[in-house]
PDB file of all heavy atoms in Angstrom:
ATOM      1  N   ILE V 207      56.574  38.029 -18.782  1.00  0.00           N
ATOM      2  CA  ILE V 207      57.237  38.490 -17.559  1.00  0.00           C
ATOM      3  C   ILE V 207      57.861  37.311 -16.813  1.00  0.00           C
ATOM      4  O   ILE V 207      59.001  37.375 -16.346  1.00  0.00           O
ATOM      5  CB  ILE V 207      56.244  39.235 -16.652  1.00  0.00           C
ATOM      6  CG1 ILE V 207      55.835  40.568 -17.306  1.00  0.00           C
ATOM      7  CG2 ILE V 207      56.867  39.505 -15.285  1.00  0.00           C
ATOM      8  CD1 ILE V 207      54.724  41.294 -16.552  1.00  0.00           C
ATOM      9  N   ALA V 208      57.107  36.209 -16.712  1.00  0.00           N
ATOM     10  CA  ALA V 208      57.641  35.010 -16.034  1.00  0.00           C
ATOM     11  C   ALA V 208      58.836  34.456 -16.784  1.00  0.00           C
ATOM     12  O   ALA V 208      59.838  34.044 -16.174  1.00  0.00           O
ATOM     13  CB  ALA V 208      56.537  33.953 -15.916  1.00  0.00           C
ATOM     14  N   ALA V 209      58.759  34.440 -18.102  1.00  0.00           N
ATOM     15  CA  ALA V 209      59.859  33.880 -18.903  1.00  0.00           C
ATOM     16  C   ALA V 209      61.122  34.735 -18.796  1.00  0.00           C
ATOM     17  O   ALA V 209      62.236  34.200 -18.663  1.00  0.00           O
ATOM     18  CB  ALA V 209      59.434  33.764 -20.374  1.00  0.00           C
ATOM     19  N   VAL V 210      60.955  36.066 -18.820  1.00  0.00           N
ATOM     20  CA  VAL V 210      62.119  36.935 -18.698  1.00  0.00           C
ATOM     21  C   VAL V 210      62.739  36.830 -17.306  1.00  0.00           C
ATOM     22  O   VAL V 210      63.975  36.798 -17.171  1.00  0.00           O
ATOM     23  CB  VAL V 210      61.705  38.405 -18.989  1.00  0.00           C
ATOM     24  CG1 VAL V 210      62.840  39.352 -18.645  1.00  0.00           C
ATOM     25  CG2 VAL V 210      61.330  38.561 -20.449  1.00  0.00           C
ATOM     26  N   GLY V 211      61.915  36.751 -16.282  1.00  0.00           N
ATOM     27  CA  GLY V 211      62.425  36.600 -14.921  1.00  0.00           C
ATOM     28  C   GLY V 211      63.184  35.297 -14.773  1.00  0.00           C
ATOM     29  O   GLY V 211      64.240  35.240 -14.153  1.00  0.00           O
ATOM     30  N   TRP V 212      62.641  34.208 -15.340  1.00  0.00           N
ATOM     31  CA  TRP V 212      63.299  32.914 -15.266  1.00  0.00           C
ATOM     32  C   TRP V 212      64.611  32.913 -16.025  1.00  0.00           C
ATOM     33  O   TRP V 212      65.578  32.255 -15.638  1.00  0.00           O
ATOM     34  CB  TRP V 212      62.355  31.861 -15.825  1.00  0.00           C
ATOM     35  CG  TRP V 212      62.816  30.453 -15.680  1.00  0.00           C
ATOM     36  CD1 TRP V 212      62.714  29.664 -14.589  1.00  0.00           C
ATOM     37  CD2 TRP V 212      63.468  29.674 -16.689  1.00  0.00           C
ATOM     38  NE1 TRP V 212      63.251  28.425 -14.844  1.00  0.00           N
ATOM     39  CE2 TRP V 212      63.714  28.402 -16.134  1.00  0.00           C
ATOM     40  CE3 TRP V 212      63.842  29.906 -18.013  1.00  0.00           C
ATOM     41  CZ2 TRP V 212      64.338  27.383 -16.826  1.00  0.00           C
ATOM     42  CZ3 TRP V 212      64.462  28.888 -18.707  1.00  0.00           C
ATOM     43  CH2 TRP V 212      64.691  27.641 -18.124  1.00  0.00           C
ATOM     44  N   ASN V 213      64.680  33.697 -17.128  1.00  0.00           N
ATOM     45  CA  ASN V 213      65.881  33.762 -17.948  1.00  0.00           C
ATOM     46  C   ASN V 213      67.057  34.403 -17.207  1.00  0.00           C
ATOM     47  O   ASN V 213      68.208  34.169 -17.570  1.00  0.00           O
ATOM     48  CB  ASN V 213      65.612  34.533 -19.237  1.00  0.00           C
ATOM     49  CG  ASN V 213      66.788  34.569 -20.182  1.00  0.00           C
ATOM     50  OD1 ASN V 213      67.456  33.562 -20.370  1.00  0.00           O
ATOM     51  ND2 ASN V 213      67.049  35.728 -20.746  1.00  0.00           N
ATOM     52  N   ALA V 214      66.768  35.204 -16.188  1.00  0.00           N
ATOM     53  CA  ALA V 214      67.841  35.875 -15.457  1.00  0.00           C
ATOM     54  C   ALA V 214      68.685  34.885 -14.657  1.00  0.00           C
ATOM     55  O   ALA V 214      69.851  35.144 -14.346  1.00  0.00           O
ATOM     56  CB  ALA V 214      67.272  36.926 -14.524  1.00  0.00           C
ATOM     57  N   GLY V 215      68.123  33.717 -14.334  1.00  0.00           N
ATOM     58  CA  GLY V 215      68.845  32.731 -13.527  1.00  0.00           C
ATOM     59  C   GLY V 215      68.733  33.069 -12.058  1.00  0.00           C
ATOM     60  O   GLY V 215      69.328  34.070 -11.610  1.00  0.00           O
ATOM     61  N   SER V 216      67.984  32.303 -11.307  1.00  0.00           N
ATOM     62  CA  SER V 216      67.743  32.648  -9.929  1.00  0.00           C
ATOM     63  C   SER V 216      67.555  31.402  -9.074  1.00  0.00           C
ATOM     64  O   SER V 216      67.004  30.393  -9.542  1.00  0.00           O
ATOM     65  CB  SER V 216      66.491  33.534  -9.826  1.00  0.00           C
ATOM     66  OG  SER V 216      66.167  33.827  -8.485  1.00  0.00           O
ATOM     67  N   LEU V 217      67.989  31.502  -7.814  1.00  0.00           N
ATOM     68  CA  LEU V 217      67.748  30.445  -6.831  1.00  0.00           C
ATOM     69  C   LEU V 217      66.677  30.881  -5.822  1.00  0.00           C
ATOM     70  O   LEU V 217      66.445  30.170  -4.833  1.00  0.00           O
ATOM     71  CB  LEU V 217      69.046  30.115  -6.072  1.00  0.00           C
ATOM     72  CG  LEU V 217      70.181  29.547  -6.910  1.00  0.00           C
ATOM     73  CD1 LEU V 217      71.428  29.313  -6.061  1.00  0.00           C
ATOM     74  CD2 LEU V 217      69.761  28.233  -7.598  1.00  0.00           C
ATOM     75  N   ASN V 218      66.030  32.003  -6.063  1.00  0.00           N
ATOM     76  CA  ASN V 218      64.997  32.479  -5.176  1.00  0.00           C
ATOM     77  C   ASN V 218      63.821  31.509  -5.149  1.00  0.00           C
ATOM     78  O   ASN V 218      63.309  31.089  -6.217  1.00  0.00           O
ATOM     79  CB  ASN V 218      64.463  33.861  -5.627  1.00  0.00           C
ATOM     80  CG  ASN V 218      65.554  34.923  -5.555  1.00  0.00           C
ATOM     81  OD1 ASN V 218      66.499  34.793  -4.800  1.00  0.00           O
ATOM     82  ND2 ASN V 218      65.400  35.972  -6.345  1.00  0.00           N
ATOM     83  N   GLY V 219      63.399  31.132  -3.976  1.00  0.00           N
ATOM     84  CA  GLY V 219      62.231  30.267  -3.821  1.00  0.00           C
ATOM     85  C   GLY V 219      62.477  28.798  -4.095  1.00  0.00           C
ATOM     86  O   GLY V 219      61.541  28.008  -4.154  1.00  0.00           O
ATOM     87  N   VAL V 220      63.732  28.401  -4.271  1.00  0.00           N
ATOM     88  CA  VAL V 220      64.039  26.979  -4.520  1.00  0.00           C
ATOM     89  C   VAL V 220      63.807  26.164  -3.245  1.00  0.00           C
ATOM     90  O   VAL V 220      64.269  26.532  -2.162  1.00  0.00           O
ATOM     91  CB  VAL V 220      65.504  26.810  -4.985  1.00  0.00           C
ATOM     92  CG1 VAL V 220      65.879  25.343  -5.011  1.00  0.00           C
ATOM     93  CG2 VAL V 220      65.688  27.433  -6.345  1.00  0.00           C
ATOM     94  N   GLY V 221      63.019  25.118  -3.362  1.00  0.00           N
ATOM     95  CA  GLY V 221      62.721  24.255  -2.228  1.00  0.00           C
ATOM     96  C   GLY V 221      63.083  22.798  -2.496  1.00  0.00           C
ATOM     97  O   GLY V 221      63.572  22.455  -3.586  1.00  0.00           O
ATOM     98  N   TRP V 222      62.785  21.963  -1.529  1.00  0.00           N
ATOM     99  CA  TRP V 222      63.173  20.539  -1.648  1.00  0.00           C
ATOM    100  C   TRP V 222      62.469  19.883  -2.847  1.00  0.00           C
ATOM    101  O   TRP V 222      63.035  19.014  -3.515  1.00  0.00           O
ATOM    102  CB  TRP V 222      62.834  19.795  -0.378  1.00  0.00           C
ATOM    103  CG  TRP V 222      63.736  20.110   0.761  1.00  0.00           C
ATOM    104  CD1 TRP V 222      63.397  20.696   1.944  1.00  0.00           C
ATOM    105  CD2 TRP V 222      65.144  19.880   0.830  1.00  0.00           C
ATOM    106  NE1 TRP V 222      64.503  20.851   2.743  1.00  0.00           N
ATOM    107  CE2 TRP V 222      65.593  20.347   2.105  1.00  0.00           C
ATOM    108  CE3 TRP V 222      66.084  19.317  -0.034  1.00  0.00           C
ATOM    109  CZ2 TRP V 222      66.918  20.271   2.492  1.00  0.00           C
ATOM    110  CZ3 TRP V 222      67.415  19.258   0.344  1.00  0.00           C
ATOM    111  CH2 TRP V 222      67.816  19.717   1.596  1.00  0.00           C
ATOM    112  N   ASP V 223      61.196  20.267  -3.097  1.00  0.00           N
ATOM    113  CA  ASP V 223      60.478  19.679  -4.213  1.00  0.00           C
ATOM    114  C   ASP V 223      61.115  19.997  -5.555  1.00  0.00           C
ATOM    115  O   ASP V 223      61.006  19.249  -6.510  1.00  0.00           O
ATOM    116  CB  ASP V 223      59.010  20.174  -4.221  1.00  0.00           C
ATOM    117  CG  ASP V 223      58.218  19.648  -3.035  1.00  0.00           C
ATOM    118  OD1 ASP V 223      58.640  18.640  -2.462  1.00  0.00           O
ATOM    119  OD2 ASP V 223      57.182  20.282  -2.691  1.00  0.00           O
ATOM    120  N   ASP V 224      61.799  21.158  -5.602  1.00  0.00           N
ATOM    121  CA  ASP V 224      62.431  21.574  -6.871  1.00  0.00           C
ATOM    122  C   ASP V 224      63.745  20.864  -7.126  1.00  0.00           C
ATOM    123  O   ASP V 224      64.153  20.730  -8.290  1.00  0.00           O
ATOM    124  CB  ASP V 224      62.662  23.093  -6.855  1.00  0.00           C
ATOM    125  CG  ASP V 224      61.375  23.871  -6.645  1.00  0.00           C
ATOM    126  OD1 ASP V 224      60.418  23.611  -7.400  1.00  0.00           O
ATOM    127  OD2 ASP V 224      61.330  24.729  -5.738  1.00  0.00           O
TER     128      ASP V 224
END
Side-chain angles (χ1 to χ4, degrees):
I207 292 173
V210 171
W212 186 81
N213 184 43
S216 177
L217 296 178
N218 296 336
V220 170
W222 288 117
D223 292 339
D224 302 308

